[in-house]
Amino acid sequence: MLGAGGKWYGQWAPPAAAANRLYALAEVKGWINAAQAGFRKHHSCEDQILGVTQSISDGFQTKPGKRSVLVLLDYSKAYDKVWREELQELLMTMHEVGVPAVFLQWFRGFLLNRQARVSYNDTLGRTRRIRQGLPQGSVLSPLLFLFYINSVSDNIPKSVNCATYADDVSLWASPRCKESASADIQQAVDCFGVEQEEDDSEYREK
């Protein structure tokens, strides 16, 4: 169930208006990580792909050539994995980058204490509290998710490049030898708290 809106400077405001205002300020103030291209005007997935392939190609053409190791990560069920406690952390992250208090108060009301119930054959089910996840289908959720993962690449090694498109992450390193590249990438992956799936327990190198 999506929130219909909330009070904004004493007046009712729909989520779309809040999203447009927050996005405009985020771009002007530089609140969104420069490596992020998802859900942003004048940024595209193609830009990220070209940047990655060009960087790796440049490494091949240097003398002596550089060996590149690339890891592609994806946040599984990204919106659903934001728990209630993490929603509080999301609001704190937004506060730390400079989002005004009036925005934070509105978003707090929008995100917390949400309820939902199912209607089937003219019968309403019991109301249940929603304890996790960003609201599915809301125009605000993509932008709020960008804030949620905004600092995730801050602690990776300086030798590792990072490009993100929403919940898709590309990490690559291009030192002189493959062993150094693998070590740097593993350190970066550890910063993301990645857990390997049981059916994907190997890294294959060519």
Side-chain angles (χ1 to χ4, degrees), residues 41 97 152 176 182:
K41 295 178 181 178
V97 299
V152 72
R176 297 295 182 188
S182 297

Side-chain angles (χ1 to χ4, degrees), residues 85-189:
E85 293 78 9
E86 292 171 328
L87 291 176
Q88 296 282 11
E89 293 178 8
L90 166 62
L91 294 173
M92 181 59 66
T93 297
M94 296 171 69
H95 169 72
E96 290 173 351
V97 299
V99 177
V102 66
F103 279 79
L104 298 176
Q105 183 178 4
W106 192 96
F107 290 126
R108 187 179 189 282
F110 178 77
L111 291 171
L112 303 181
N113 301 318
R114 288 177 287 133
Q115 298 179 340
R117 58 180 176 174
V118 176
S119 174
Y120 181 73
N121 287 340
D122 298 325
T123 301
L124 284 175
R126 290 189 301 170
T127 299
R128 296 184 179 275
R129 293 185 64 185
I130 301 175
R131 300 182 180 276
Q132 72 179 87
L134 294 171
Q136 296 287 341
S138 170
V139 295
L140 271 170
S141 293
L143 185 53
L144 292 175
F145 183 75
L146 296 190
F147 278 100
Y148 175 67
I149 63 171
N150 202 41
S151 61
V152 72
S153 63
D154 287 353
N155 297 321
I156 66 174
K158 295 185 181 298
S159 58
V160 176
N161 300 291
C162 179
T164 57
Y165 189 84
D167 59 348
D168 295 311
V169 181
S170 300
L171 299 170
W172 73 100
S174 303
R176 297 295 182 188
C177 65
K178 182 175 64 178
E179 289 72 19
S180 295
S182 297
D184 290 345
I185 285 295
Q186 185 59 61
Q187 186 177 348
V189 170

